[in-house]
């Protein structure tokens, strides 16, 4: 993974081939303009963040995605805050919320297992391409994208990992977010091809309020 073109292409190729603590978030009252999950199962942090995004207008009228790393699940919403779909996800091998400094400039051989992190935070996302594949850029500087799961390495059993009821086997990538091909093609691409959007990645080693301070204050 690198910000230089040749190394970045290699980094993304491997991603595809391997493919201030604060008060608790307050859940808005019914009818207060929160997100519409339409019955989709989601963690409390996922619901609290989605409600805040909708109430505050933080996504600026764009589609948005919430990545629940602890639950290894992705939720996609339209600009109106209504869920358009959800799916399991494969994430970075290492647990943590901050990408190592300069990770996007490193050669893959210099990225050890402990550095393969899916960073937490708010990211302006845009569609892009990696060779013949379209991807959704999440954190360009760190070479992190959301894309279809790739099964070229049979030994990794990526489809089985996605299908597993456990979240313990969903950590395998260099940091990229792998989702089922059907979810990418039927939900993610139609939402983000016409317009840019936002990807919110929930923290797993820090409190939600430490990453999304605005939401912690409960202010629209």
């Amino acid at each position: 993974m690198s910000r230089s073109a040749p190394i970045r292409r290699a980094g993304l190729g491997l991603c595809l081939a391997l493919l201030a603590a604060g008060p608790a978030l307050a859940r808005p009252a019914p009818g207060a303009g929160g997100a519409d999950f339409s019955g989709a199962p989601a963690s409390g942090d996922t619901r609290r963040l989605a409600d805040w995004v909708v109430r505050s207008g933080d996504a600026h009228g764009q589609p948005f995605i919430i990545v629940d790393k602890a639950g290894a699940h992705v939720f996609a919403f339209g600009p109106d805050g209504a869920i358009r779909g959800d799916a399991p996800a494969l994430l970075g091998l290492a647990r943590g919320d901050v990408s190592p400094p300069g990770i996007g400039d490193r050669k893959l051989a210099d990225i050890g297992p402990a550095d393969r992190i899916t960073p937490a935070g708010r990211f302006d996302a845009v569609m892009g391409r990696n060779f013949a594949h379209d991807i959704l850029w999440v954190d360009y500087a760190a070479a992190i994208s959301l894309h279809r799961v790739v099964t070229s390495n049979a030994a990794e059993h990526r489809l089985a990992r996605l299908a597993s009821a456990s979240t313990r086997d969903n950590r395998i990538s260099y940091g990229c977010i792998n989702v089922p091909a059907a979810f990418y093609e039927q939900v993610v691409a139609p939402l983000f091809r016409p317009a840019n959007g936002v990807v919110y990645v929930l923290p797993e080693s820090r409190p939600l309020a430490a990453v999304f301070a605005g939401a912690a204050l409960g202010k629209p």
Side-chain angles (χ1 to χ4, degrees), residues 188-202:
V188 176
L191 279 174
F192 286 82
R193 277 187 183 132
N196 297 334
V198 182
V199 172
Y200 300 87
V201 182
L202 290 169

Side-chain angles (χ1 to χ4, degrees), residues 49-84:
L49 180 58
D51 285 341
W52 175 78
V53 170
V54 173
R55 294 176 65 198
S56 67
D58 188 76
H60 305 296
Q62 302 175 110
F64 66 95
I65 285 175
I66 293 180
V67 180
D68 178 1
K69 287 199 290 179
H73 213 81
V74 172
F75 302 83
F77 297 85
D80 59 355
I83 195 165
R84 300 296 176 82

Side-chain angles (χ1 to χ4, degrees), residues 18-210:
L18 296 177
L19 258 157
L25 289 163
R27 182 80 188 277
D36 176 11
F37 278 81
S38 296
S43 68
D45 279 353
T46 299
R47 292 181 178 276
R48 282 187 282 272
L49 180 58
D51 285 341
W52 175 78
V53 170
V54 173
R55 294 176 65 198
S56 67
D58 188 76
H60 305 296
Q62 302 175 110
F64 66 95
I65 285 175
I66 293 180
V67 180
D68 178 1
K69 287 199 290 179
H73 213 81
V74 172
F75 302 83
F77 297 85
D80 59 355
I83 195 165
R84 300 296 176 82
D86 65 286
L90 302 181
L91 303 161
L93 177 66
R95 296 183 183 275
D97 295 321
V98 180
S99 293
I103 190 73
D105 293 323
R106 294 192 201 174
K107 295 180 180 180
L108 289 175
D110 297 331
I111 301 176
D115 291 336
R116 300 172 187 178
I117 294 171
T118 300
R122 180 193 188 280
F123 304 95
D124 292 316
V126 298
M127 295 294 291
R129 297 195 71 81
N130 175 42
F131 299 112
H133 302 281
D134 57 308
I135 60 175
L136 180 66
W137 277 113
V138 176
D139 186 350
Y140 186 85
I144 302 297
S145 66
L146 183 152
H147 54 68
R148 304 171 185 83
V149 63
V150 173
T151 58
S152 57
N153 187 343
E156 290 184 336
H157 306 290
R158 290 206 171 201
L159 291 178
R161 290 171 184 268
L162 282 174
S164 170
S166 172
T167 61
R168 296 173 63 183
D169 58 359
N170 290 57
R171 312 305 290 258
I172 191 171
S173 80
Y174 269 66
C176 288
I177 303 157
N178 291 218
V179 296
F183 176 74
Y184 181 92
E185 293 163 1
Q186 298 170 17
V187 179
V188 176
L191 279 174
F192 286 82
R193 277 187 183 132
N196 297 334
V198 182
V199 172
Y200 300 87
V201 182
L202 290 169
E204 60 184 345
S205 61
R206 294 185 291 172
L208 178 62

